[in-house]
Amino acid sequence: MASHPVHGLPFLPGNTYRDPTKSAYHRSQTLMYRNGYSRPLLPTVGIGREPITYNQLSQADLDELANKLPTLTYGQSKQAPQSDFVPAHVAFDKKVLRFDAFFQEVVPMSPEEYYRVRRVFVYYYLEDDSMSVVEPPVENSGIPQGTFVKRQRHPKNDVGDHYHWKDLNLGVNITLYGRTFRIVNCNKFTQEFLESEGIELNTPEHIPTDPFTLRRVQPDRTYTTPSDFDKLKQFLTMDRKVLRFFALWDDSQSMFGETRRVIIHYYLMDDTVEIREVHERNDGRDPFPVLMKRQHLPKSMKDLKDTFPGCILEISDQEVTNWYSPRDFAVGKTITILGRKFLIYDCDAYTQDYYRDNLGTTDFHPVDVKKKIEEEAAQELPPYNGFGLLEDSIQNCLMLVPKPPKKDVIKMLENDHKVLRYAAVLDSMKVEDNGRRFIISYYLADDMISIFEKPVKNSGIIGGKFLEKSKVPKPGSSIDNPCYYGPADITIGSVLEVFRHRFIIMDADEYVLHYVINHSDEFPSELLESLQRHFSPQPEDRQS
């Protein structure tokens, strides 16, 4: 809407469309940031937040109109495919081109070789156009190998341009840090990728043979008859080839000796022998595996004089007439090594194959050296002497430091402070024992019995504790398998023989009757009937 007066009208109040009360003239924001990226927005209101009269289209409507293509035919328009942008580090992630290459290295101050040919792999990483050179390790080369050039972008000229995958092809040279690499071949993925990009690959080439390596393969030209035994050949052909025998060292004849299992290693590369001890769990020995270090073993020696310092000087070839060889080892054979006898009872599969192919041996039946299980002698307990409890005396026989016998903890917790008390009189032939009354307490927690005598004035007998808490065996029970008194054995009128003293049960607490009624399934019916009969009111009591 116009904010100025209409042409031809006087400048009077009411002749203009301008709102005199309006004070805001700022524009709406059309730029915002989300996830660190700036995003433009279409204005939804005008200046001073005035509504816009023309129609507003959303971003989705604009995208739909942009993707529609005009057609000259009638019908529904086709939606154009939306092109998604994929960055290079996502599209070419983990896609690497590998080329086989080599370079020649000059060897100065060497009469045997002037240069050597070293094979490498050139890796080109498509995600960031970086390159790395890796040299595969060659066994016994004596050259530190592995990563030759770390992954980085390499310049190809003085201007500062870097190598691109379009510059790589078969039969071309690339220079990295002053060293020229010749690309001769590539793998299948690299070939398919370059051909798909329209690059025509050259003919693959072969890596030239290293002259020094080729000369080592050829036999040396000599004018003398070579020896049948070649130590260098033995070292190269028999390297890391070891014969392993399982043997038994019987040292039982010496003091505190025993039979030990050992492993004998025979190294074919230099004819040395090593003996390792096999440790078992809890064998009580120090964990030192090597019983005899790797060395040459003499089989027979010359007759040396007694003055020869054999304990100081090492044995040389002049004193030894014969050394141990693989023919001296066989399964089931006893050999003597440094004065100790070893019985070979088995060997591994590689050793069997070596003897079968080179020596023609076919007998490899292992010898049974398992220890016979000794029958444990029956432990006999000495007779019980009567002092203390039988369980405590048995613990003294079972171990040097006796432990207290195990108790029924659940029973102790359930029956803690539960005591059955009975009144009893002493049944004795002595006249002075007549009338002595006792209280017998039975502890349900540990099945022990204590006896207490009530003191009587002027009786001449000191009352008090008659028997401490202890288990009382029944008369006739054996010492080996004793049978103790229980609450089911104590009834009204029954006789308890406690260590040759007879007690007649005369009375009991009412708690005994309630306990028997609550646990009637654990007691015989005669016991419950006798207690009910005892605690039931008598006819004389009813009359009184």
Side-chain angles (χ1 to χ4, degrees), residues 235-294:
F235 175 79
L236 296 176
T237 57
M238 296 297 178
D239 186 23
R240 293 181 294 183
K241 294 183 179 180
V242 184
L243 305 180
R244 184 169 64 169
F245 302 93
F246 303 97
L248 202 67
W249 174 29
D250 190 3
D251 192 31
S252 58
Q253 295 181 358
S254 61
M255 183 179 293
F256 307 111
E258 59 182 357
T259 302
R260 306 184 194 177
R261 294 178 182 267
V262 297
I263 297 177
I264 301 176
H265 289 157
Y266 188 94
Y267 296 87
L268 295 173
M269 61 175 294
D270 55 357
D271 296 325
T272 55
V273 181
E274 178 191 54
I275 301 178
R276 289 180 170 267
E277 186 175 359
V278 179
H279 290 278
E280 297 179 357
R281 188 177 182 182
N282 298 328
D283 57 357
R285 298 191 175 275
D286 295 330
F288 299 114
V290 178
L291 184 65
M292 187 192 73
K293 67 178 183 179
R294 182 176 173 180

Side-chain angles (χ1 to χ4, degrees), residues 10 106 203 237 252 277 306 344 393 432 474 523:
V106 179
T203 305
T237 57
S252 58
E277 186 175 359
D306 297 337
I344 301 176
S393 301
E432 57 269 19
K474 294 181 181 180
F523 298 93

Side-chain angles (χ1 to χ4, degrees), residues 128-412:
D128 55 356
D129 297 329
S130 59
M131 297 173 60
S132 66
V133 181
V134 178
E135 183 178 7
V138 179
E139 188 176 2
N140 295 329
S141 65
I143 303 174
Q145 297 167 337
T147 302
F148 197 80
V149 179
K150 293 184 178 180
R151 179 179 175 180
Q152 54 189 296
R153 298 181 69 184
H154 296 278
K156 65 179 179 180
N157 50 31
D158 298 337
V159 180
D161 298 333
H162 296 87
Y163 275 106
H164 196 260
W165 53 267
K166 297 180 181 179
D167 303 326
L168 304 179
N169 202 333
L170 305 185
V172 299
N173 297 333
I174 59 174
T175 303
L176 306 178
Y177 291 104
R179 198 180 296 272
T180 303
F181 298 88
R182 179 75 174 181
I183 300 178
V184 296
N185 204 345
C186 64
N187 59 359
K188 189 68 175 177
F189 172 76
T190 305
Q191 179 183 356
E192 294 177 354
F193 177 80
L194 295 178
E195 290 178 352
S196 64
E197 297 295 335
I199 297 178
E200 183 177 356
L201 294 178
N202 300 330
T203 305
E205 300 178 359
H206 295 283
I207 298 177
T209 307
D210 187 15
F212 180 73
T213 305
L214 182 62
R215 189 172 60 180
R216 288 187 58 181
V217 175
Q218 298 177 358
D220 296 336
R221 185 176 181 182
T222 58
Y223 298 96
T224 58
T225 304
S227 175
D228 296 336
F229 179 73
D230 187 1
K231 289 186 177 181
L232 179 59
K233 179 181 178 181
Q234 182 183 7
F235 175 79
L236 296 176
T237 57
M238 296 297 178
D239 186 23
R240 293 181 294 183
K241 294 183 179 180
V242 184
L243 305 180
R244 184 169 64 169
F245 302 93
F246 303 97
L248 202 67
W249 174 29
D250 190 3
D251 192 31
S252 58
Q253 295 181 358
S254 61
M255 183 179 293
F256 307 111
E258 59 182 357
T259 302
R260 306 184 194 177
R261 294 178 182 267
V262 297
I263 297 177
I264 301 176
H265 289 157
Y266 188 94
Y267 296 87
L268 295 173
M269 61 175 294
D270 55 357
D271 296 325
T272 55
V273 181
E274 178 191 54
I275 301 178
R276 289 180 170 267
E277 186 175 359
V278 179
H279 290 278
E280 297 179 357
R281 188 177 182 182
N282 298 328
D283 57 357
R285 298 191 175 275
D286 295 330
F288 299 114
V290 178
L291 184 65
M292 187 192 73
K293 67 178 183 179
R294 182 176 173 180
Q295 58 183 308
H296 291 277
L297 285 181
K299 184 178 180 181
S300 58
M301 300 178 59
K302 297 179 181 179
D303 295 334
L304 302 177
K305 296 181 180 180
D306 297 337
T307 57
F308 180 78
C311 61
I312 300 176
L313 298 179
E314 295 182 357
I315 299 175
S316 61
D317 296 338
Q318 288 76 15
E319 291 84 18
V320 180
T321 59
N322 193 8
W323 300 88
Y324 272 104
S325 65
R327 297 182 180 274
D328 300 322
F329 296 86
V331 177
K333 184 179 179 180
T334 302
I335 61 174
T336 303
I337 301 177
L338 300 182
R340 294 171 175 84
K341 294 184 178 181
F342 295 87
L343 173 62
I344 301 176
Y345 63 87
D346 200 1
C347 61
D348 60 355
Y350 173 76
T351 306
Q352 296 180 8
D353 296 339
Y354 177 82
Y355 274 81
R356 190 180 296 108
D357 299 338
N358 297 275
L359 301 179
T361 306
T362 58
D363 187 12
F364 299 104
H365 297 287
V367 181
D368 188 10
V369 293
K370 294 183 180 179
K371 295 181 180 179
K372 296 182 180 179
I373 300 176
E374 298 181 357
E375 297 181 359
E376 297 182 359
Q379 186 177 8
E380 297 182 359
L381 299 177
Y384 179 57
N385 54 9
F387 292 98
L389 297 178
L390 179 62
E391 291 81 359
D392 295 335
S393 301
I394 293 176
Q395 294 297 324
N396 288 309
C397 301
L398 295 178
M399 56 190 67
L400 185 62
V401 180
K403 296 181 181 180
K406 295 183 179 180
K407 298 180 181 180
D408 192 351
V409 181
I410 298 178
K411 182 179 180 181
M412 294 176 63

Side-chain angles (χ1 to χ4, degrees), residues 56-77:
Q56 287 285 341
L57 297 179
S58 61
Q59 187 65 32
D61 297 337
L62 294 176
D63 294 341
E64 183 178 358
L65 292 176
N67 294 330
K68 284 187 177 181
L69 297 178
T71 56
L72 300 178
T73 58
Y74 293 99
Q76 186 177 2
S77 60

